[in-house]
C-alpha cells in the first residue's frame, strides 16, 4: 500500500468529519463534542481496520503461514457449497418454523412484519427485478388488498377466504389500469407516474370519508379463520378456529410467504419469466423475437399487484385496523429498497434484505433517530461494494430438455479439458 | 408505405419488392430511413399509410409478435442482444414462439454450425462476447425462429474487415438454405456484391432500384456510396 492510500484515508476521514460532526453533534441547540467525536471515531476506526486488513493481505503473511493454501473463508465457503440447496432450504424453513416457539410475542410480531415485507418484496421483484419496470407506487396495491378485505368484511361480513380472490382480482385489475398508460414509458417517467398513482390511491382513501372513514381508518375486521373437522356429540363436525393468536398468524403469513416464494420461482423459470427478463434486457430485441411485450408488461404489473394485495389483506386482518397512513410513499421506498438491496430478480436476496431492513431497525430501536441515516448509508455502501445486490440473481441453469443433451455434454467436457490444462 | 415518428415524416412513401429466395439490399447514408423501414415491416413502428404484403397477405396491421409468426425475423441494428443472458438463452429466446423442442435443438445445431464460435461461448453471458460474436449471436437468434424472410440491419456495423467478410459469407450460406434475405447496409460494396437486387435510399425515399450488379456499375452509386 502506497502513500496514495494513506492520503485517501486522511481525506475520507476529514470528509466524514465534515458530514458527521454537525449532523450528530447537535442533539439540541448545543454542540456536544464528545458525542459527535465518538460517532466519528467509530467510522474512522472501521476505515482504519479495513486499511490494516489490506496491509496485512498485501504483505503476503496469509500465503506464508498457510503454505500457499487458500484462505480460511474460501475453504469454509467451499465446504458449505457442497451441501445441496435443497438442504439449505429445509434447514431455513425448520428454523423459521421453530422461531415463534423460542421468541417472545414482540419478536414474533416483528417476524410477522418481516414476512409481510418479504411477500411485498417478492411481488415487486416481479415488476422491478424480472420485467425491469421501475414502480414507485407499489404500496398502493397493498392498500387495495387491505381496504378490499376491510370493506367487504365490515359491510357484508364476507370471510377472509372469500375476500382474498376478490382482492387479488381487484389488485390485478388496478395493476393493469396503472400499467396501461405507462406502457410506452421508461425509466424516470415511469417512476414518476407510478409514484403519482400510489399517492392518488392514498389520497382517495384519505378523503373518501363516506366509504373509508378517512384518516380515522376502518376498525374491527374479523381475523381469518380456518375450518377443521372435530369430533363432538353429534359426530364428525366442522369447527372453526379463528387465527387470533400471534403464533397462528405467524404460521399463516409464513404459509403465504412460502407459497409466494414457490409462485415467484415458478414464474421466474417459466417461459413468461424468460420473456420478462428479455424485455428487461432489451425491449426492441424482445419484440423482434416475437415476445408480446405489451401483454407481458401488463401481466407483470398484474402479478406484482396480486401478491401485494394478498399481503395487504393479511395485514388488515391481522391488525383488525387499517388507515391510509400505513400506505405512504415511504413504504413503497422501503419495499423497493428490499428489492434493490437484495439483488433485483433474486429470490434469496429479497428474503435476506427483507429480514435485514425490517428486523434490524427493530433490534436497534433506541437508535431510531438514525434509522433513515443508516438506511441511506447502507444503500450508498451497497451501491459501491455490491451493485448487483446482496445475493445477485443467477440465471437459471438450462433444463436439459431445452437443447440437445449431447451438445451440453460435449461443451462440459471441453470446458473440463480446458480446466485440467490450466 | 409512410411512417412517422411523432410529427417527423420518416418514410416518405417507399415501395420495394423482395422476390422469394433472393438477397435484396437497401443501401443509403445515415438517417436515410433504412432501419425505420425494417422496423416498419416488423410492426414495431406503424405504417401510417400504405401496405406491406408478405406472401400475398397484408401484414401492416399486425403486431410484432404476429409478424414473427408469419415467418419473418429480424436481427436488429447495433447488436441488440440480451446482455445478461447466456448465448444459449439468447438463442432460445429466438425460438420463443416455437414449441417443437426437438426441431429447435436441431436448428440450434445448425446455427452452431454456421457460427462455431457461438458454440464455444454457449454458457457465456451475451454482454461479455466480443463485437463480432454479438453480431453472430444476433443473426443466430433471428434464425432460431426458422424464418422464411430474414431482415438484417447493418450486420457489418463496427466490425473488422475480416469479420465482415466472414459474416457476409455466412449470409450467403443462410440464403442457400432457402431463407430470403433483406439486408440493410451502409457498407454498400459488400452488400451489393452478394445481393440480387439493390435499392438505394435517400432521406426517406427510394431513389434507385436495379439489379445489384448494375448498381455496382452505376456512376452515381459509385460516387456516393462506393467511394470511387
Amino acid at each position: 500500500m502506497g502513500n496514495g492510500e494513506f492520503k485517501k484515508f486522511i481525506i475520507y476521514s476529514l470528509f466524514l468529519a465534515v458530514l458527521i460532526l454537525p449532523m450528530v453533534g447537535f442533539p439540541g441547540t448545543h454542540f456536544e463534542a464528545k458525542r459527535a467525536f465518538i460517532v466519528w471515531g467509530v467510522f474512522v476506526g472501521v476505515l482504519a481496520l479495513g486499511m490494516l486488513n489490506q496491509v496485512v493481505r498485501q504483505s503476503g503473511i496469509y500465503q506464508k503461514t498457510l503454505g500457499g493454501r487458500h484462505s480460511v473463508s474460501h475453504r469454509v465457503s467451499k465446504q458449505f457449497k457442497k451441501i445441496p440447496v435443497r438442504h439449505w432450504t429445509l434447514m431455513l424453513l425448520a428454523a423459521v418454523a421453530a422461531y415463534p416457539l423460542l421468541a417472545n410475542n414482540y419478536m414474533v410480531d416483528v417476524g410477522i412484519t418481516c414476512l409481510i415485507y418479504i411477500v411485498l418484496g417478492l411481488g415487486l421483484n416481479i415488476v422491478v427485478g424480472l420485467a425491469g419496470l421501475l414502480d414507485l407506487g407499489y404500496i398502493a396495491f397493498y392498500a387495495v388488498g387491505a381496504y378490499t378485505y376491510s370493506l367487504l368484511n365490515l359491510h357484508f361480513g364476507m370471510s377472509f377466504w372469500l375476500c382474498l380472490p376478490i382482492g387479488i382480482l381487484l389488485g390485478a385489475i388496478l395493476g393493469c389500469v396503472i400499467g396501461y398508460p405507462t406502457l410506452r414509458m421508461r425509466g424516470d417517467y415511469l417512476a414518476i407516474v407510478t409514484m403519482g398513482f400510489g399517492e392518488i390511491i392514498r389520497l382517495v382513501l384519505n378523503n373518501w370519508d363516506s366509504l373509508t372513514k378517512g384518516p380515522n381508518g376502518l376498525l374491527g375486521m374479523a381475523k381469518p379463520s380456518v375450518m377443521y373437522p372435530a369430533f363432538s356429540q353429534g359426530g364428525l363436525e366442522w369447527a372453526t378456529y379463528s387465527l387470533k393468536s400471534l403464533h397462528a398468524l405467524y404460521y399463516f403469513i409464513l404459509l403465504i410467504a412460502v407459497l409466494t416464494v414457490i409462485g415467484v420461482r415458478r414464474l421466474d423459470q417459466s417461459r413468461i419469466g424468460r420473456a420478462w427478463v428479455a424485455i428487461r434486457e432489451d425491449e426492441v430485441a424482445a419484440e423482434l423475437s416475437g415476445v408480446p411485450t405489451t401483454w407481458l408488461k401488463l401481466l407483470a404489473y398484474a402479478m406484482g399487484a396480486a401478491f401485494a394485495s394478498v399481503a395487504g389483506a393479511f395485514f388488515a386482518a391481522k391488525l383488525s385496523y387499517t388507515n391510509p397512513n400505513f400506505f405512504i410513499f415511504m413504504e413503497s421506498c422501503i419495499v423497493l429498497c428490499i428489492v434493490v438491496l437484495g439483488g433485483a430478480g433474486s429470490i434469496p436476496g429479497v428474503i435476506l434484505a427483507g429480514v435485514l431492513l425490517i428486523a434490524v431497525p427493530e433490534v436497534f430501536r433506541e437508535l431510531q433517530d438514525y434509522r433513515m441515516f443508516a438506511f441511506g448509508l447502507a444503500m450508498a455502501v451497497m451501491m459501491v461494494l455490491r451493485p448487483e445486490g446482496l445475493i445477485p440473481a443467477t440465471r437459471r441453469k438450462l433444463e436439459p430438455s431445452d437443447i440437445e443433451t449431447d451438445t451440453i455434454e460435449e461443451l462440459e467436457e471441453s470446458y473440463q479439458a480446458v480446466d485440467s490444462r490450466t | 408505405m409512410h411512417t412517422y415518428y411523432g410529427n417527423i415524416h420518416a418514410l416518405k412513401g417507399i415501395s420495394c419488392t423482395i422476390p422469394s429466395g433472393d438477397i435484396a439490399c437497401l443501401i443509403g447514408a445515415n438517417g436515410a430511413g433504412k432501419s425505420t423501414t425494417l422496423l416498419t415491416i416488423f410492426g414495431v413502428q406503424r405504417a401510417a399509410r400504405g401496405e406491406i404484403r408478405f406472401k400475398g397477405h397484408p401484414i401492416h396491421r399486425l403486431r410484432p409478435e404476429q409478424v414473427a409468426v408469419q415467418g419473418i425475423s429480424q436481427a436488429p441494428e447495433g447488436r441488440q442482444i440480451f446482455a445478461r443472458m447466456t448465448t444459449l438463452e439468447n438463442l432460445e429466446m429466438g425460438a420463443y414462439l416455437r414449441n417443437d423442442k426437438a426441431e429447435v435443438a436441431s436448428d440450434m445445431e445448425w446455427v452452431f454450425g454456421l457460427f462455431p464460435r457461438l458454440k464455444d461461448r454457449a454458457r457465456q453471458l451475451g454482454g461479455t462476447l466480443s463485437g463480432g460474436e454479438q453480431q453472430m449471436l444476433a443473426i443466430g437468434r433471428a434464425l432460431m425462429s426458422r424464418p422464411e424472410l430474414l431482415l438484417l440491419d447493418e450486420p457489418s456495423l463496427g466490425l473488422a474487415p475480416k469479420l465482415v467478410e466472414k459474416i457476409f459469407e455466412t449470409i450467403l450460406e443462410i440464403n442457400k438454405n432457402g431463407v430470403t434475405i433483406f439486408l440493410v447496409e451502409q457498407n454498400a460494396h459488400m452488400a451489393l456484391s452478394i445481393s440480387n437486387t439493390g435499392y438505394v435510399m435517400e432521406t426517406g425515399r427510394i431513389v434507385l432500384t436495379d439489379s445489384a450488379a448494375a448498381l455496382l456499375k452505376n456512376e452515381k452509386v459509385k460516387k456516393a456510396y462506393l467511394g470511387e
Side-chain angles (χ1 to χ4, degrees):
Chain A
M1 187 166 67
N3 263 334
E5 292 280 330
F6 196 65
K7 215 192 253 168
K8 243 194 221 166
F9 172 69
I10 304 267
I11 292 171
Y12 283 164
S13 314
L14 289 178
F15 180 63
L16 249 175
V18 173
L19 265 181
I20 282 179
L21 295 184
M23 232 184 323
V24 297
F26 288 97
T29 46
H30 301 287
F31 183 71
E32 278 185 29
K34 190 180 156 202
R35 181 185 143 117
F37 279 106
I38 286 175
V39 177
W40 179 71
V42 169
F43 278 112
V44 173
V46 171
L47 267 176
L49 272 179
M51 228 176 59
L52 194 71
N53 181 27
Q54 227 176 345
V55 174
V56 173
R57 211 168 262 220
Q58 281 176 357
S59 68
I61 288 175
Y62 288 151
Q63 271 75 11
K64 273 176 217 154
T65 48
L66 293 171
R69 282 197 289 176
H70 289 298
S71 68
V72 179
S73 63
H74 181 83
R75 272 182 294 156
V76 168
S77 77
K78 211 172 168 188
Q79 287 301 317
F80 271 115
K81 272 184 191 146
K82 279 186 188 159
I83 306 171
V85 179
R86 184 181 304 232
H87 293 190
W88 279 115
T89 322
L90 280 176
M91 272 152 65
L92 183 73
L93 251 169
V96 176
Y99 170 76
L101 308 175
L102 308 165
N104 59 27
N105 274 352
Y106 170 68
M107 284 159 76
V108 175
D109 201 56
V110 172
I112 292 176
T113 315
C114 277
L115 286 166
I116 291 179
Y117 275 88
I118 286 172
V119 173
L120 283 173
L122 288 171
L124 187 62
N125 190 30
I126 295 176
V127 185
V128 177
L130 294 182
L133 307 159
L134 190 54
D135 188 347
L136 286 179
Y138 187 65
I139 214 71
F141 305 120
Y142 185 50
V144 167
Y147 270 86
T148 307
Y149 173 61
S150 309
L151 289 169
L152 289 177
N153 184 264
L154 289 178
H155 291 292
F156 305 106
M158 287 163 78
S159 80
F160 183 80
W161 303 105
L162 204 57
C163 295
L164 204 58
I166 298 174
I168 291 174
L169 202 69
L170 257 173
I173 290 170
L174 264 169
C176 290
V177 168
I178 167 72
Y180 191 74
T182 60
L183 280 176
R184 300 222 149 254
M185 293 177 198
R186 268 169 225 185
D188 322 3
Y189 301 101
L190 184 62
I192 292 168
V193 172
T194 49
M195 187 175 145
F197 174 77
E199 283 301 282
I200 289 170
I201 294 277
R202 187 181 65 83
L203 289 172
V204 166
L205 294 175
N206 209 12
N207 292 301
W208 195 350
D209 274 344
S210 56
L211 185 71
T212 65
K213 301 226 171 71
N216 293 332
L218 295 165
L219 188 66
M221 286 79 78
K223 299 265 197 276
S225 55
V226 285
M227 308 266 264
Y228 66 99
F231 290 102
S232 66
Q233 285 166 332
L236 190 66
E237 271 180 357
W238 290 103
T240 40
Y241 174 68
S242 176
L243 302 173
K244 265 186 190 142
S245 76
L246 265 183
H247 281 66
L249 285 167
Y250 177 87
Y251 286 115
F252 184 44
I253 183 71
L254 180 61
L255 180 73
I256 293 178
V258 169
L259 290 178
T260 308
V261 170
I262 295 171
V264 173
R265 212 179 116 81
R266 301 224 79 167
L267 272 175
D268 185 14
Q269 294 180 347
S270 69
R271 260 167 73 83
I272 294 173
R274 226 184 312 155
W276 278 334
V277 174
I279 292 173
R280 181 189 75 192
E281 292 298 306
D282 194 314
E283 206 177 321
V284 173
E287 240 175 339
L288 295 177
S289 302
V291 174
T293 49
T294 310
W295 160 237
L296 278 168
K297 277 158 84 175
L298 280 182
L299 187 69
Y301 274 116
M303 295 302 291
F307 284 113
S309 190
V310 173
F314 173 82
F315 177 68
K318 178 208 160 211
L319 281 184
S320 288
Y321 174 67
T322 183
N323 84 47
N325 282 331
F326 289 138
F327 311 110
I328 53 175
F329 174 60
M330 197 56 223
E331 297 293 313
S332 286
C333 285
I334 291 176
V335 180
L336 190 64
C337 282
I338 290 176
V339 175
V340 174
L341 195 69
S346 145
I347 295 173
V350 169
I351 294 173
L352 179 65
V355 173
L356 280 181
L357 284 191
I358 304 306
V360 171
E362 293 294 336
V363 175
F364 296 106
R365 257 225 119 87
E366 313 86 76
L367 301 175
Q368 210 177 12
D369 296 347
Y370 300 105
R371 192 186 281 189
M372 282 301 129
F373 172 66
F375 228 79
L377 194 73
M379 291 305 284
V381 169
M382 279 292 302
M383 287 304 106
V384 174
L385 298 181
R386 304 200 70 145
E388 296 268 292
L390 287 173
I391 307 176
T394 45
R395 294 292 307 144
R396 92 214 142 90
K397 296 272 180 317
L398 283 154
E399 297 129 30
S401 60
D402 278 7
I403 52 163
E404 242 171 59
T405 351
D406 304 354
T407 326
I408 285 303
E409 273 162 13
E410 268 174 44
L411 282 172
E412 227 94 89
E413 273 164 27
S414 66
Y415 281 146
Q416 274 160 12
V418 172
D419 280 351
S420 60
R421 253 180 276 143
T422 48
Chain B
M1 60 192 180
H2 294 251
T3 304
Y4 293 82
Y5 283 115
N7 288 327
I8 302 161
H9 201 167
L11 294 186
K12 298 162 190 161
I14 73 166
S15 170
C16 55
T17 320
I18 304 148
S20 165
D22 270 11
I23 301 183
C25 72
L26 182 64
I27 58 176
N30 260 337
K34 306 187 300 289
S35 298
T36 310
T37 309
L38 288 195
L39 290 179
T40 308
I41 294 176
F42 218 85
V44 177
Q45 293 296 332
R46 288 274 128 159
R49 267 179 287 151
E51 64 168 10
I52 307 163
R53 286 172 171 273
F54 179 62
K55 292 196 289 182
H57 303 291
I59 56 166
H60 52 279
R61 290 221 175 75
L62 301 182
R63 289 193 304 275
E65 67 265 21
Q66 295 168 318
V67 174
V69 175
Q70 302 286 320
I72 303 180
S73 85
Q74 178 168 352
E77 187 184 3
R79 308 191 280 265
Q80 295 182 5
I81 49 145
F82 304 118
R84 279 181 289 176
M85 286 176 148
T86 64
T87 302
L88 274 175
E89 286 172 318
N90 265 279
L91 291 176
E92 276 189 357
M93 275 314 297
Y96 183 75
L97 291 168
R98 295 172 59 180
N99 287 320
D100 43 346
K101 277 195 174 163
E103 295 196 20
V104 169
S106 81
D107 279 4
M108 196 172 284
E109 278 302 292
W110 177 54
V111 170
F112 282 148
L114 288 172
F115 303 110
R117 284 274 273 290
L118 290 184
K119 194 164 181 172
D120 302 336
R121 304 268 184 254
R123 293 218 180 253
Q124 214 169 309
L125 289 186
T128 63
L129 301 182
S130 75
E133 287 162 352
Q134 290 190 2
Q135 185 60 60
M136 294 174 193
L137 183 53
I139 298 175
R141 187 182 61 198
L143 286 174
M144 285 305 292
S145 65
R146 200 179 263 188
E148 288 171 58
L149 171 62
L150 176 65
L151 311 174
L152 292 174
D153 198 347
E154 303 259 8
S156 76
L157 191 74
L159 297 187
K162 236 190 176 155
L163 259 175
V164 174
E165 232 163 86
K166 179 92 206 349
I167 295 263
F168 276 90
E169 271 167 32
T170 315
I171 292 173
L172 268 175
E173 203 183 324
I174 294 166
N175 178 248
K176 283 201 189 104
N177 275 284
V179 182
T180 310
I181 289 171
F182 189 37
L183 183 64
V184 156
E185 259 301 339
Q186 284 198 54
N187 189 339
H189 190 81
M190 264 302 196
L192 287 171
S193 65
I194 65 162
S195 303
N196 306 95
T197 330
Y199 297 91
V200 180
M201 198 169 186
E202 261 169 35
T203 56
R205 284 196 180 83
I206 289 187
V207 292
L208 258 177
T209 311
D210 210 335
S211 76
L215 281 179
L216 267 175
K217 292 194 188 94
N218 186 308
E219 283 305 319
K220 218 176 127 196
V221 175
K222 265 188 182 173
K223 218 171 159 190
Y225 301 108
L226 302 176
E228 285 169 22

